[in-house]
Amino acid sequence: MTTNEIRQSFLDFFKNKSHQIVDSSSLIPADPTALFTSAGMQQFVPYLSGEAEPPYNRACSVQKCFRTSDVDEIGDEFHHTFFEMLGNWSFGDYFKEEAIQWALELLVDNYYLEKDRLWVTIFKGEKNIPYDKEAEKIWQKNGIVKNKIKQFGSADNFWGPVGSTGPCGPCSEIHYDRGKEFQKDKCTLPKCGPNCGCGRFVEIWNLVFMEYNTAEKGEYKKLKKQNIDTGAGLERLACVLQNKESDYETDLFLPIIREIEKISQKADLSKQKSGRIIADHIRAICFLIADGVLPSKEDRGYILRRILRRAMRHGRLIEAEKGFLIPLAQVVIKQYHNIYPELKNEQSDILTIIQKEQEKFEKTLSQGLKKFKKLVSKVYSLRSKVIDGKDTFHLYDTYGFPLELTKEMAEEEGLKIDEKAFEKEFEHHREISRAGAKKKFGGVGEWGDKVAPHHTATHLLHKALQQVLGDHVQQAGSDLTPERLRFDFSHSQKMTDEEIKKVEEIVNQKIKEELEVKMEEMSYEQATEKGALAFFKEKYPKIVKVYSIGGNSLTSSEPPFSREICAGPHVKNTNEIGQFKIVKEKASGAGIRRIKAVIENQNGKIKMENDPSSKAKLTTGQAL
Ligand code: SER
């Protein structure tokens, strides 16, 4: 079975069981506190937690996911940064009985897995949450014998919440027994089994019985409704269904691996660490850029830069020709664009950004590697095992080696790096450059200052689009940089030149009217009563910020031009924005259009409304 067939068969199966097929959401989650989308359930959190009324009770999807937690594991058979997750959901509708029965039905009747090879795990009870007797009974009723049902604690069989709060619950995992030949060393049954880690058993599907909510860490309250949240990693499922030793030998990876082999003139790279790392990272790189992540010094952009540079270093190890990431990206785009049209739509951005990053790092990579070799000799000659903080910082600062890259290289030499000393050095240099920046720009110049005009312009644009195209226009995504804004919205046709002009005129008119931008805090219910736009996919806290542009305030009867629930930051007055101009309008997925717009002749001093420091931050390596 090809992976295309696996995906389709999954969706068809659940569609036949009255599930709404929902498109994958972006890798950049709506929840501003999460760095990436790492599970299929993220776009459904408001429905699972009961905060929002779901438009359907059952859903299924194939979700793009990115996990940083597994980045050091890449190189083994089954871990990835980017992967696709198949999932089905019940929002207060069916529960354990159907979830278990259907999972088995799909695996055995549609995917033709031998039932005898399926083992499951159940929650053994912890944290005042009882042992999942009910799940055990249902598995047995469905033909899984007792000795193939194993109990585990919360580390393995309690899922969520994604951050520190939110919906969660006990789970049951389905594991596939690949057989004795995959067992390592002296590991034997009955000791060997699910979660043994020797390679014989592969976890293929996680069924979460989501009936708890945690508002405070460690406090579990029953949700009003019982939900189902399931997730099956497509790469692993393909590995099992295609009877391969690792995910890298499935049809998902082989075209990429073959291209790496061609470029490096090496064989068997699907079994080799560098081949696997490059294949994993190039997929992630393409998908991240397609969703609007740009390489940078912090947050998401830092992660992207880090994997780009790591892939390039591994390219060196297998003697891949210079610029090798470009042909690989082309293979990824070709392979996936039918399912994820954003790859085709953003093709030129993907290739240009990779190209620029390659050129930048290629300049320092060789010298940095030489420097590293010298450092290793120095450490050996001192009979030490640790590369010190100043040297690690030097590699980082002068040669652009991310901390994690140096760490990986050190480990290959049997050495360590002194991370604490690196951090200290890093902080020291940051203080110096901050002081410099302050002198130069008078203290203004954080990210929020720079994106605020584009952010306020986005609100104006949203409203203008509704006025020109109709009320069906809903925000589907937004991305801001100091240089431009990008806005995705629901609309099925290409906008005419006339419509684009009209929208620009409205936005520029509102800028000219010097409208005040006001922020007020209130409950979510109050905000929606007042007509503030909210996006149903987002998860809102109890008290939300509402930004109104024009009108006086929420107590006044004069309606504002725009009112949205939003975390900010915004300018204080539209006169701080400048001339608004749409530079691109194009499709971005089914029924979604994308606008890129810029602000010209930006005037006035930008004042800060608030600071976007709620954004998830990385703890290390923030400047690169
Ligand atoms: N949320 C669960 C997971 O990510 C099931 O989808 O494993």
Side-chain angles (χ1 to χ4, degrees):
M1 200 179 250
T2 64
T3 35
N4 280 341
E5 287 163 349
I6 298 171
R7 277 194 205 94
Q8 198 53 48
S9 177
F10 185 90
L11 295 175
D12 289 346
F13 179 87
F14 284 105
K15 193 177 170 199
N16 280 336
K17 305 227 182 280
S18 308
H19 287 62
Q20 171 72 39
I21 299 179
V22 179
D23 283 345
S24 170
S25 61
S26 164
L27 286 170
I28 303 178
D31 174 357
T33 63
L35 207 51
F36 292 107
T37 299
S38 61
M41 49 77 76
Q42 257 159 280
Q43 65 168 321
F44 301 120
V45 165
Y47 306 154
L48 293 164
S49 65
E51 278 169 74
E53 198 54 41
Y56 30 72
N57 291 332
R58 299 176 179 189
C60 63
S61 78
V62 180
Q63 173 68 49
K64 300 181 281 188
C65 295
F66 182 88
R67 287 190 181 173
T68 47
S69 53
D70 292 331
V71 77
D72 293 331
E73 317 278 338
I74 319 295
D76 71 1
E77 291 99 325
F78 300 120
H79 285 92
H80 306 288
T81 51
F82 171 85
F83 65 100
E84 292 171 86
M85 193 189 273
L86 309 169
N88 60 290
W89 287 271
S90 154
F91 309 120
D93 189 26
Y94 62 85
F95 201 45
K96 293 181 193 179
E97 190 86 42
E98 290 88 338
I100 289 176
Q101 193 194 322
W102 290 342
L104 285 175
E105 187 184 324
L106 177 62
L107 292 177
V108 177
D109 297 346
N110 294 47
Y111 289 151
Y112 309 112
L113 286 180
E114 284 172 54
K115 197 165 181 178
D116 280 354
R117 287 180 180 262
L118 300 179
W119 292 51
V120 300
T121 61
I122 54 169
F123 184 54
K124 76 171 181 191
E126 257 175 28
K127 324 176 179 183
N128 295 328
I129 296 175
Y131 155 57
D132 199 350
K133 181 107 193 113
E134 190 189 358
E136 183 181 46
K137 275 198 181 145
I138 301 172
W139 286 115
Q140 282 182 290
K141 199 170 96 185
N142 283 279
I144 305 292
V145 292
K146 196 162 178 166
N147 67 357
K148 288 186 179 167
I149 304 175
K150 300 287 171 198
Q151 297 175 23
F152 288 90
S154 44
D156 296 288
N157 276 81
F158 194 90
W159 200 88
V162 172
S164 50
T165 61
C168 52
C171 59
S172 246
E173 290 173 348
I174 305 176
H175 294 248
Y176 180 78
D177 180 2
R178 300 203 287 168
K180 256 200 193 125
E181 60 275 29
F182 287 93
Q183 235 163 256
K184 290 204 184 103
D185 307 330
K186 294 187 189 111
C187 182
T188 50
L189 289 173
K191 199 189 119 256
C192 183
N195 299 331
C196 156
C198 80
R200 173 167 173 170
F201 287 84
V202 186
E203 182 216 319
I204 53 173
W205 203 343
N206 186 12
L207 315 182
V208 184
F209 311 125
M210 213 160 235
E211 55 174 333
Y212 292 93
N213 194 38
T214 158
E216 303 272 326
K217 195 126 187 90
E219 279 234 347
Y220 297 93
K221 289 218 171 86
K222 278 241 176 179
L223 284 164
K224 280 203 195 96
K225 290 180 182 169
Q226 292 175 318
N227 308 298
I228 290 293
D229 155 40
T230 87
L234 178 65
E235 288 72 4
R236 277 190 204 179
L237 197 57
C239 176
V240 167
L241 296 182
Q242 294 173 8
N243 206 11
K244 303 290 183 194
E245 275 185 32
S246 85
D247 295 358
Y248 294 94
E249 283 150 55
T250 65
D251 63 345
L252 275 171
F253 279 102
L254 267 191
I256 309 171
I257 294 276
R258 292 283 168 268
E259 187 69 23
I260 307 174
E261 288 173 346
K262 205 171 103 191
I263 287 164
S264 61
Q265 301 191 342
K266 300 266 178 323
D268 260 354
L269 290 185
S270 64
K271 296 191 186 341
Q272 198 251 23
K273 191 174 168 191
S274 289
R276 288 176 175 180
I277 287 177
I278 295 169
D280 173 89
H281 286 10
I282 191 67
R283 288 199 320 169
I285 291 163
C286 292
F287 276 93
L288 286 173
I289 299 175
D291 277 348
V293 181
L294 295 173
S296 74
K297 292 176 181 169
E298 47 190 22
D299 298 338
R300 300 181 182 112
Y302 173 75
I303 305 269
L304 172 59
R305 181 163 282 169
R306 191 176 130 189
I307 59 172
L308 267 158
R309 294 188 175 184
R310 187 177 188 217
M312 287 176 65
R313 212 271 296 184
H314 280 277
R316 279 293 163 100
L317 291 181
I318 56 167
E319 295 165 330
E321 57 197 40
K322 274 195 175 166
F324 73 101
L325 290 176
I326 292 290
L328 290 184
Q330 281 162 333
V331 173
V332 173
I333 295 168
K334 189 167 161 221
Q335 188 180 338
Y336 284 95
H337 79 268
N338 283 334
I339 298 161
Y340 299 103
E342 60 272 31
L343 288 177
K344 189 90 196 158
N345 297 337
E346 301 303 324
Q347 175 163 343
S348 75
D349 276 4
I350 295 172
L351 298 179
T352 317
I353 288 164
I354 294 177
Q355 180 67 30
K356 277 195 186 146
E357 281 293 303
Q358 280 191 148
E359 283 167 11
K360 199 168 175 180
F361 193 47
E362 258 162 14
K363 280 191 194 138
T364 56
L365 178 58
S366 301
Q367 279 171 301
L369 290 173
K370 270 187 214 147
K371 178 81 197 168
F372 177 76
K373 262 193 183 155
K374 276 193 195 149
L375 286 178
V376 171
S377 310
K378 182 175 115 185
V379 173
Y380 283 154
S381 67
L382 292 171
R383 292 175 189 275
S384 165
K385 285 256 169 232
V386 186
I387 302 180
D388 80 31
K390 276 208 168 91
D391 288 333
T392 313
F393 186 78
H394 182 63
L395 276 176
Y396 164 82
D397 199 35
T398 310
Y399 303 100
F401 279 40
L403 173 72
E404 296 78 4
L405 186 64
T406 307
K407 190 174 168 192
E408 182 181 69
M409 289 170 17
E411 277 163 9
E412 286 166 10
E413 302 286 344
L415 304 177
K416 284 188 177 150
I417 56 171
D418 185 342
E419 286 188 48
K420 280 221 172 89
F422 171 87
E423 298 279 356
K424 227 170 129 186
E425 200 62 23
F426 181 85
E427 277 306 320
H428 176 62
H429 282 257
R430 194 155 65 170
E431 288 306 321
I432 295 172
S433 55
R434 255 197 205 140
K438 228 176 185 153
K439 253 190 231 151
K440 229 164 148 183
F441 306 114
V444 187
E446 290 290 333
W447 178 255
D449 294 316
K450 297 185 199 146
V451 299
H454 281 114
H455 197 176
T456 309
T458 302
H459 284 214
L460 295 174
L461 169 67
H462 191 184
K463 187 69 193 179
L465 284 167
Q466 288 185 333
Q467 287 189 346
V468 174
L469 303 175
D471 279 341
H472 62 275
V473 169
Q474 282 268 346
Q475 172 167 340
S478 160
D479 186 57
L480 304 168
T481 74
E483 291 80 31
R484 57 118 180 99
L485 67 86
R486 207 181 66 197
F487 187 68
D488 291 351
F489 59 100
S490 45
H491 184 60
S492 44
Q493 292 119 17
K494 183 164 179 54
M495 285 177 73
T496 62
D497 291 348
E498 194 79 343
E499 285 167 340
I500 291 179
K501 205 166 147 233
K502 190 98 221 289
V503 168
E504 279 179 346
E505 271 168 18
I506 295 174
V507 173
N508 282 319
Q509 173 60 28
K510 295 296 152 191
I511 291 171
K512 230 164 88 196
E513 283 174 20
E514 308 208 333
L515 300 177
E516 204 187 327
V517 182
K518 248 203 146 74
M519 191 278 282
E520 283 161 281
E521 288 186 305
M522 67 194 75
S523 74
Y524 175 76
E525 286 74 26
Q526 258 178 317
T528 44
E529 260 168 43
K530 296 268 181 198
L533 292 179
F535 314 110
F536 75 92
K537 280 180 181 168
E538 279 182 27
K539 179 186 166 181
Y540 292 106
K542 280 207 178 72
I543 297 295
V544 294
K545 286 182 181 164
V546 174
Y547 279 87
S548 306
I549 309 177
N552 274 334
S553 84
L554 289 169
T555 47
S556 141
S557 55
E558 186 195 339
F561 174 69
S562 146
R563 182 172 280 166
E564 291 194 20
I565 298 181
C566 175
H570 284 278
V571 295
K572 292 262 189 217
N573 190 298
T574 57
N575 67 9
E576 294 167 40
I577 298 179
Q579 183 78 11
F580 172 83
K581 190 165 168 43
I582 293 176
V583 290
K584 214 171 183 181
E585 191 275 344
K586 59 176 187 169
S588 170
I592 306 283
R593 310 293 304 176
R594 168 169 292 179
I595 279 181
K596 279 191 191 167
V598 294
I599 288 169
E600 293 168 345
N601 311 323
Q602 196 168 309
N603 55 9
K605 190 167 161 272
I606 300 149
K607 292 171 209 139
M608 278 289 286
E609 177 65 23
N610 63 15
D611 175 52
S613 55
S614 62
K615 266 181 96 182
K617 287 264 186 253
L618 293 171
T619 49
T620 55
Q622 289 181 351
L624 196 64

